[in-house]
Amino acid sequence: LAGIVVFAVAAQVASVAAAVNAIPGARVHAASDAGKLVVTLEASGAGELASLGDALRRIPGVLDVAMVYQHAESLESMNQEISDGTHA
């Protein structure tokens, strides 16, 4: 999982957002008229996240892409049950 800020040409925010949402694993959560988009990327690993980031950079109208958060866990750890402390 990665949190990304995409900087786009202000006049192309709508087309950039549509292109981002068309990428599997990518989702636009917010966009401003000034050209900033808040995006999350979900992928199976760091290499795939890097590829998705490169795909964002190739979208016409994108000026820059900045990763602001990344978190990765193995599938095994994601399936591990976590106790909330209320059950014995």
Side-chain angles (χ1 to χ4, degrees):
L1 176 70
I4 307 284
V5 177
V6 175
F7 299 91
V9 174
Q12 295 179 319
V13 169
S15 63
V16 169
V20 170
N21 282 326
I23 298 172
R27 180 174 173 209
V28 175
H29 295 274
S32 75
D33 292 338
K36 293 181 185 178
L37 297 92
V38 176
V39 176
T40 54
L41 301 177
E42 291 188 39
S44 61
E48 189 178 341
L49 281 175
S51 294
L52 288 172
D54 289 341
L56 294 177
R57 287 181 181 86
R58 290 190 299 270
I59 295 171
V62 170
L63 301 171
D64 198 8
V65 174
M67 183 182 299
V68 294
Y69 176 81
Q70 180 187 8
H71 181 80
E73 290 189 34
S74 69
L75 181 58
E76 180 180 297
S77 67
M78 294 296 290
N79 288 325
Q80 182 180 10
E81 187 172 331
I82 299 173
S83 172
D84 66 2
T86 61
H87 298 92

